[in-house]
Amino acid sequence: MADVAARAGVSRALVSIVFRNQQGASEETRRRVLQVADEIGYRPDSAARLLARGRSRTLGVMFAVQQTFHTNLIEGIYPEAERLGYDVLLSAAAPGRSEAKAVEALLSHRCEALIVLGSEAEAADLDALGRRAVTVSVSRRVRGARVDFVQSAEGKGVRQAMEHLVELGHRRIVHLDGGSGPGSAERRRAYRAAMRRHGLEEWARVIGGDHTEQSGIDAGRLLLAEREAGLVLPTAVLAGNDRSAMGLLMSLGRAGVEVPRDVSVVGYDDSHLSHLMPIGLTTVRQDAALMAEHAVRFAVERLEDPALEPREAVLEPKLVVRGTSGPPAVG
């Protein structure tokens, strides 16, 4: 600002008035100051001004770099944060970089609140984080933690998928599990409950996995090896998420198994991956934009009123039927 003032021939206080868009500078002076600032490449440091007032007005978002659904959530977080007057800072958990490191990076940059996407932290660690800073957990709920929660109704989404498959005539329906991933336990319970409700317990089977393409590839190889050994393929697989569903489709396709004629496949999330195939993936849609809006609002509202108790938003999922599900082959 001192450089701008000297070059424009005005006081530093007048430069400050111009940049804060306050009254006290003529239009000619305002134009000259802004022109000089542009010529020398000066930009007001809004972050420094906010920190000087004790606020950063920045929301930190921790996400898993390999989870495609998290990009859908981030796309929704930015516009809602901007609408409420907040910036967004991202920090990724990745192979070789733990979730704890990603979170600490956000706190070190003075983020006022944290939005953690699909956290796999221990329950006690998530609760401790919520007591250090305003925290919203998306897609992961921990009972009793001092954290706001936003998630979809996992059980309802699985029930919709299972009703769809049963109505098509499927009986040998396998669930490809998401392991310890967010929402996996609820999806697993809902699958087993649906098989019992439809009298299909004898065909109920959960294949261990996680929320990666490799998990789906491995599950496909297992089923194909069993077929070689004389066992019958399931007629349908409910995958733990879209990524594992994609891996399963790749594995089955390479072996000449036709989807959905031989095996129907249903995913979960409706991430952008579900649209990138020759035949679209039937999947359960989580409303990423609405989840993101709730997460940002929860964070901002607790910043404005720290006395608010933690809240929870449970949003409705919706089955999206595309090309990977159909009636089982006769015989």
Side-chain angles (χ1 to χ4, degrees):
M1 286 176 61
D3 292 340
V4 172
R7 190 156 175 173
V10 299
S11 69
R12 180 168 174 166
L14 198 55
V15 172
S16 177
I17 287 172
V18 171
F19 283 137
R20 285 183 284 121
N21 200 28
Q22 293 183 334
Q23 294 183 349
S26 68
E27 193 59 35
E28 180 183 350
T29 298
R30 190 176 300 275
R31 281 198 301 269
R32 186 165 73 254
V33 167
L34 293 176
Q35 181 180 346
V36 168
D38 187 58
E39 288 173 355
I40 68 174
Y42 173 79
R43 295 291 181 274
D45 190 339
S46 58
R49 290 206 307 268
L50 288 167
L51 286 173
R53 300 174 196 163
R55 295 289 305 273
S56 70
R57 295 194 71 85
T58 301
L59 304 178
V61 178
M62 190 287 297
F63 68 105
V65 73
Q66 294 181 318
Q67 290 299 339
T68 54
F69 184 62
H70 290 182
T71 64
N72 297 39
L73 290 166
I74 291 167
E75 285 178 0
I77 286 171
Y78 272 107
E80 184 65 9
E82 184 176 348
R83 187 182 73 82
L84 295 174
Y86 283 77
D87 288 329
V88 174
L89 185 65
L90 303 179
S91 185
R97 189 174 195 247
S98 69
E99 184 176 314
K101 283 187 177 180
V103 166
E104 287 302 323
L106 294 171
L107 293 173
S108 70
H109 282 83
R110 302 194 186 187
C111 293
E112 290 193 62
L114 303 178
I115 299 174
V116 292
L117 308 183
S119 172
E120 296 189 15
E122 295 292 333
D125 293 335
L126 193 59
D127 178 55
L129 178 61
R131 296 178 187 280
R132 290 177 64 191
V134 170
T135 303
V136 182
S137 174
V138 179
S139 298
R140 165 93 186 281
R141 183 179 183 277
V142 174
R143 193 181 302 277
R146 185 74 183 172
V147 171
D148 290 308
F149 299 103
V150 179
Q151 60 185 347
S152 68
E154 307 283 2
K156 186 172 289 187
V158 169
R159 286 195 294 274
Q160 290 178 22
M162 293 296 289
E163 292 290 338
H164 170 64
L165 292 172
V166 170
E167 287 175 4
L168 287 171
H170 293 279
R171 298 294 179 267
R172 296 193 305 276
I173 306 170
V174 167
H175 178 47
L176 172 52
D177 188 27
S180 61
S184 296
E186 293 88 343
R187 295 172 197 178
R188 187 164 54 243
R189 284 194 295 268
Y191 160 77
R192 287 178 170 142
M195 292 296 278
R196 288 195 302 270
R197 186 169 60 253
H198 291 288
L200 304 176
E201 287 179 273
E202 63 179 298
W203 290 295
R205 181 185 181 189
V206 175
I207 299 176
D210 56 35
H211 286 166
T212 64
E213 291 84 359
Q214 188 60 50
S215 173
I217 292 171
D218 292 343
R221 288 172 177 167
L222 172 64
L223 294 173
L224 292 167
E226 291 177 349
R227 184 181 66 170
E228 289 295 315
L231 299 179
V232 178
L233 282 175
T235 63
V237 178
L238 172 62
N241 73 342
D242 290 348
R243 291 181 65 197
S244 59
M246 291 292 190
L248 177 64
L249 290 168
M250 290 168 56
S251 188
L252 295 177
R254 289 169 182 166
V257 176
E258 291 191 30
V259 176
R261 189 196 69 179
D262 300 322
V263 180
S264 286
V265 177
V266 178
Y268 205 106
D269 283 342
D270 196 31
S271 64
H272 65 267
L273 281 178
S274 60
H275 310 271
L276 301 180
M277 299 182 53
I279 54 173
L281 177 66
T282 295
T283 185
V284 177
R285 173 181 295 159
Q286 300 192 81
D287 192 332
L290 192 56
M291 293 173 77
E293 288 176 15
H294 275 280
V296 172
R297 286 205 298 271
F298 275 1
V300 171
E301 286 166 7
R302 277 232 279 152
L303 284 172
E304 294 174 351
D305 184 2
L308 281 176
E309 287 298 310
R311 294 154 297 166
E312 181 176 0
V314 181
L315 308 181
E316 293 290 313
K318 181 182 179 182
L319 179 69
V320 181
V321 178
R322 298 193 180 98
T324 59
S325 60
V330 177

